[in-house]
């Protein structure tokens, strides 16, 4: 499992990166249910009702960018010019496809490893996980928390994400990739999430 981390000025740029630079008018793109892996637990009331049809990328971008806009209105200055975090995960070509429950677990463990969404933190950042192509998982998250504070990323969070990739390879029986320098396996392990798929209410 290979991870690529990047930061963007807004969710639209991150989503464009996730779907590919050749995607036209990403804002009007419909995101079907089979591409939606999981999302921040409190957003159902912020998205269109079910009778308005599937959610567009523009709806999701608005949800992810809202804490940044609120921070700018209240403080006028945004300390981080690239407040949208993007983790792009790619499986080895010879790996088996992940189940829906495994994709959900990978997303949660990556967010936890990076410090984006610690368990039990009701004011953590908003995030969205998508699987737009086979063997890929795209995780987008705001770096402004719900309480308006900067997200508390794990110290050396790139290495933390790489270490979690190695753990996931072992736990899910995926092809082991070479360890990048400085990412040796630590003694302490994160407790794996249960392999279940959350049921989202119909919109």
């Amino acid at each position: 499992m290979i991870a690529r981390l990047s930061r963007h000025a807004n969710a639209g740029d991150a989503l464009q990166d996730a779907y590919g630079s050749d995607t036209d008018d990403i804002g009007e793109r419909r995101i079907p249910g089979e591409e939606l892996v999981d999302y921040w637990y409190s957003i159902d009331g912020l998205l269109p009702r079910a009778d308005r049809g599937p959610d567009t990328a523009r709806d999701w971008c608005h949800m992810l960018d809202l804490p940044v806009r609120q921070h700018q209105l209240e403080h006028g200055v945004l300390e981080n010019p690239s407040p949208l975090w993007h983790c792009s995960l790619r499986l080895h070509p010879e790996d088996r496809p992940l189940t829906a429950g495994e994709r959900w677990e990978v997303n949660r463990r990556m967010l936890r490893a990076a410090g984006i969404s610690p368990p039990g933190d009701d004011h953590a950042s908003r995030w969205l996980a998508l699987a737009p192509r086979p063997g890929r998982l795209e995780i987008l998250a705001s770096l402004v928390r719900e309480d308006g504070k900067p997200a508390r990323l794990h110290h050396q969070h790139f290495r933390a994400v790489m270490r979690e990739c190695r753990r996931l390879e072992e736990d899910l029986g995926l092809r082991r990739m070479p360890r990048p320098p400085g990412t040796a396996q630590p003694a302490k392990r994160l407790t794996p999430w249960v392999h279940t798929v959350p049921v989202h209410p119909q919109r």
Side-chain angles (χ1 to χ4, degrees):
M1 180 181 292
I2 299 174
R4 177 177 64 87
L5 302 183
S6 58
R7 298 188 185 185
H8 301 270
N10 54 63
D13 289 349
L15 207 58
Q16 187 81 47
D17 185 30
Y19 275 94
S21 58
D22 58 343
T23 305
D24 295 329
D25 197 7
I26 190 68
E28 296 306 316
R29 181 187 179 93
R30 300 285 180 177
I31 298 182
E34 59 268 22
E35 293 181 5
L36 180 61
V37 175
D38 198 10
Y39 54 81
W40 174 62
Y41 68 95
S42 296
I43 68 173
D44 282 315
L46 302 177
L47 293 173
R49 301 190 312 273
D51 58 7
R52 291 181 57 184
D55 303 316
T56 66
R58 192 181 309 280
D59 297 322
W60 292 104
C61 289
H62 173 75
M63 178 274 292
L64 288 171
D65 286 335
L66 188 58
V68 175
R69 294 196 183 101
Q70 291 175 334
H71 182 88
Q72 289 175 314
L73 287 174
E74 294 175 6
H75 302 282
V77 177
L78 187 65
E79 295 83 359
N80 187 348
S82 301
L84 207 294
W85 184 84
H86 177 202
C87 176
S88 180
L89 297 169
R90 177 166 55 90
L91 297 180
H92 190 278
E94 297 181 7
D95 278 331
R96 61 173 176 80
L98 297 181
T99 66
E102 288 170 338
R103 291 197 301 267
W104 183 84
E105 178 177 350
V106 169
N107 168 60
R108 292 299 180 109
R109 286 173 62 172
M110 283 298 170
L111 289 167
R112 183 177 175 183
I116 296 287
S117 184
D121 188 343
D122 294 335
H123 302 288
S125 299
R126 302 181 179 197
W127 49 266
L128 170 67
L130 302 168
R133 294 184 293 277
R136 300 291 290 269
L137 181 63
E138 310 290 341
I139 307 172
L140 286 65
S142 173
L143 292 179
V144 176
R145 292 163 43 89
E146 286 298 282
D147 55 13
K149 298 177 181 178
R152 295 188 289 266
L153 290 177
H154 188 283
H155 178 60
Q156 296 184 332
H157 81 283
F158 175 77
R159 291 185 178 183
V161 166
M162 295 300 106
R163 286 194 293 265
E164 196 62 21
C165 283
R166 306 291 81 80
R167 295 184 181 116
L168 283 161
E169 289 165 354
E170 179 180 351
D171 293 344
L172 301 179
L174 303 176
R175 180 176 289 272
R176 302 297 297 274
M177 302 296 289
R179 298 183 190 277
T183 60
Q185 184 85 352
K188 182 178 180 180
R189 293 175 59 87
L190 295 176
T191 302
W193 292 85
V194 178
H195 286 217
T196 57
V197 181
V199 178
H200 303 304
Q202 294 294 324
R203 294 188 292 277

